[in-house]
Amino acid sequence: MQMKNYLRRLKNPATLIGICGYVLTILSTLGFSVDNQAIMTILESICAICVLLGIMNNPETEGIDFPKSE
């Protein structure tokens, strides 16, 4: 059950972008030559396409997730 919760969080684009950013930071610190800007741009574009296709969305809501104003 615990693993299911972690996998659901990976459907959040912000989570994937954050994880990728930290991985790139670790690789750069270890001395690998990495084009951080290019990789982040590609990842953000892929996440945007997945959001538009409905693959990545907020798993806690049904349909479109509009922010609520109170």
Side-chain angles (χ1 to χ4, degrees):
M1 188 66 169
Q2 192 81 355
M3 188 61 146
K4 252 186 174 175
N5 290 333
Y6 290 127
L7 292 176
R8 285 180 38 201
R9 291 176 192 256
L10 291 178
K11 289 182 77 175
N12 184 345
T15 302
L16 288 178
I17 292 170
I19 290 171
C20 185
Y22 283 120
V23 168
L24 291 175
T25 301
I26 291 169
L27 290 176
S28 295
T29 303
L30 292 174
F32 291 96
S33 177
V34 179
D35 187 0
N36 293 346
Q37 188 62 38
I39 292 175
M40 290 304 289
T41 302
I42 291 169
L43 180 67
E44 289 170 1
S45 299
I46 291 171
C47 285
I49 291 169
C50 289
V51 167
L52 289 173
L53 293 174
I55 297 170
M56 292 182 153
N57 57 8
N58 186 352
E60 302 297 321
T61 62
E62 296 291 328
I64 299 174
D65 185 18
F66 290 117
K68 295 180 182 177
S69 60
E70 295 182 45

